[in-house]
Amino acid sequence: MANSKYAGIVVDAKTGKTLYASSADAYRYPASLTKIMTLYVVFEELSAGRLTLNSRLKVSKYAAGRPPSKLGLKPGKTIKVKDAILALVTKSANDVATVVAENISGSEKKFAQRMTSTARSLGMKKTTFRNPHGLPNSGQRTTARDMATLGRAIQEHYPQYYGYFKTRSYKYNGRTYGNHNKLLGRVKGVDGIKTGYIRASGFNLVTSVNRNGRQIVAVVMGGRSGASRNAQMTKLISRYLSKASRGKKTVPMIAKRSGAPIFVASALAQPPLPREKPGSTQKPASGAPMVLAFNAAEKPIVAPVPTPSVASVTTASVKTEPVTVPGFGDAVPIPPKIVKQRFDETFAVATALPPIRRESPDLDLTTNSVSKKALLDAARADVTRRTTSQPDSEGRPIPAKTITVETVKIETVPAPEVTASNVKVAAASATALPVVESQSKDDTVTVATSDTPDIEPGWQVQIAASETENQAVALLKKAKARTGAALRGRSPYTEPVEANGQTLYRARFVGFKNKTAARKACSTLKKAKFACFAIYQ
């Protein structure tokens, strides 16, 4: 019977030629192959001088509680970077992976975002990381080809540290841990690099072989057992190593591409000039509200101001219809300071809309459950009504101005299920949200910071993504007060997210035991005029 989980690839490291491939571009779960990227980031930090091999990493309670395989680190203790590297290479310790993530990026989530960004820079287009260890997460996916790319890149970029992958055993606190890669010392020329296994993935292995002037990187994913995986890898090495080149390396080094745009001063045909002289006081905004949005899906429209003629910026005429409502579809609101007050007013109009009933009872409670066209039409009508109430000197209504600026569209990482990152803005109160100055023990809102451990994975309900933390906190309090017992025992929680240079604050309730409980709470919230969606994260 064919193994549906199987995927494999063999790449000539000198020429870059694919010598063998089977389902090499199909999505697979990386399991502990994830730790290759975790180590890549560690090597990045070492090379940048932000860490040394003797740097000590502090162990949090959350990290110590990660499930096996683990070293059994204790909260409050520390571990040297060198020991962390060896523990990841040999024992594949999950607690150590989390320690590394928290000490470098503040949390597993932020570290995973860096891992994914690094993967993109290496050309790993189909890889998404959600955690630093590879424990089960349906959104954490890769391909055999991407893993081969990573296996080559970590050798090319950090040869001074790659030797750690040859380690066959490691002693820590009186205990000796053997490397899970059983091909080390058994198959001639094998010099690393990493194994992985979870039930959903099967048995995975990335191997590097350097023998008789030939070098290959091979990947086997989805093995039914460790023994069958090792046997398949040995077979691939035997069959394809001889087909690899013995000549000089001809393939270019895997480049780390930066996602940041390149500014070329000479490309500015008409450099834009400031509207006000330096040191002058900006006049307060007046007239009809202006709606600013970044929308890659529509024709870009900008104010008639001289703009640099670079690829990322285009110009067109100003139009007044239809009114653009920020926060829906691909629109990401980024208000400049000079119209901040007016943008807040428009934002309140957009977030005041009552929830639209789902189009089909079979749909999940996500942003796809709401008719965005209906939301846009209703919001545009509301904005038009508010902004045309004052006629001009001849009795004609003054239409709202719309300025839309094209920007680089945020990349959507493919994942098998909807996540909170798909949601741009969803809120449910048009009134000004007060700053929360004090709250009772029963009404405490957890505010995520770099020192806050990630909450345990589970079902959550999000009701908004606000512009300020105070707005998110106040909205959570209001929702809890209006829904009574429906949210009793659920923890209100806010966390910042970055969207094209702007920070938004998610407003969520966490701690639901299952999907049914989360959807039930969402139903109650909708009856109380709050938009919401349920998500597992």
Side-chain angles (χ1 to χ4, degrees), residues 191-204:
D191 56 18
I193 51 179
K194 191 75 184 69
T195 64
Y197 170 78
I198 57 173
R199 184 177 299 175
S201 71
F203 291 83
N204 301 338

Side-chain angles (χ1 to χ4, degrees), residues 206-473:
V206 177
T207 295
S208 172
V209 186
N210 200 329
R211 185 201 305 171
N212 298 329
R214 296 183 173 93
Q215 185 178 7
I216 61 172
V217 172
V219 180
V220 169
M221 305 186 78
R224 288 194 172 97
S225 67
S228 65
R229 171 200 63 194
N230 294 342
Q232 173 65 5
M233 180 62 78
T234 302
K235 180 180 177 181
L236 292 178
I237 293 171
S238 176
R239 179 173 296 181
Y240 293 101
L241 181 62
S242 61
K243 300 181 185 297
S245 172
R246 297 184 66 175
K248 293 182 179 180
K249 186 171 183 177
T250 58
V251 65
M253 179 180 289
I254 296 174
K256 281 198 65 177
R257 295 181 289 274
S258 172
I262 299 175
F263 178 82
V264 182
S266 60
L268 296 178
Q270 291 181 308
L273 300 176
R275 293 178 178 270
E276 303 292 338
K277 294 181 180 181
S280 62
T281 303
Q282 179 65 45
K283 297 179 180 179
S286 60
M290 300 176 68
V291 181
L292 304 190
F294 283 75
N295 195 337
E298 298 182 14
K299 183 178 180 181
I301 303 167
V302 300
V305 180
T307 56
S309 59
V310 293
S312 62
V313 180
T314 60
T315 62
S317 61
V318 176
K319 67 178 182 179
T320 59
E321 295 293 342
V323 176
T324 301
V325 179
F328 297 91
D330 292 326
V332 180
I334 306 183
K337 292 181 180 179
I338 60 173
V339 291
K340 178 71 164 60
Q341 181 179 354
R342 300 237 174 241
F343 179 49
D344 286 342
E345 181 179 331
T346 306
F347 182 84
V349 172
T351 59
L353 299 173
I356 305 300
R357 66 184 298 273
R358 290 186 292 157
E359 297 171 344
S360 166
D362 298 327
L363 295 177
D364 287 336
L365 284 174
T366 67
T367 50
N368 294 328
S369 308
V370 181
S371 170
K372 294 185 181 179
K373 183 178 184 303
L375 285 173
L376 284 168
D377 290 344
R380 284 169 175 161
D382 201 337
V383 172
T384 300
R385 177 181 62 79
R386 291 167 181 262
T387 58
T388 59
S389 58
Q390 296 297 326
D392 61 12
S393 59
E394 297 182 10
R396 293 173 299 185
I398 303 174
K401 298 179 180 179
T402 300
I403 298 179
T404 305
V405 184
E406 186 182 33
T407 186
V408 179
K409 185 177 181 180
I410 299 175
E411 181 179 3
T412 302
V413 179
E417 59 187 32
V418 178
T419 65
S421 61
N422 298 122
V423 180
K424 299 296 185 290
V425 176
S429 176
T431 58
L433 300 177
V435 176
V436 179
E437 297 181 353
S438 62
Q439 47 199 12
S440 66
K441 182 177 180 181
D442 294 334
D443 204 18
T444 300
V445 177
T446 300
V447 177
T449 68
S450 60
D451 296 322
T452 305
D454 286 356
I455 58 176
E456 290 289 341
W459 281 97
Q460 307 173 17
V461 168
Q462 179 163 320
I463 62 172
S466 302
E467 290 186 275
T468 69
E469 187 176 283
N470 287 330
Q471 285 181 342
V473 169

Side-chain angles (χ1 to χ4, degrees), residues 44-68:
E44 231 175 16
E45 293 294 294
L46 288 169
S47 297
R50 291 185 287 268
L51 287 178
T52 70
L53 292 174
N54 290 320
S55 296
R56 289 199 165 271
L57 309 176
K58 189 173 181 179
V59 181
S60 71
K61 182 178 179 180
Y62 177 79
R66 295 300 80 205

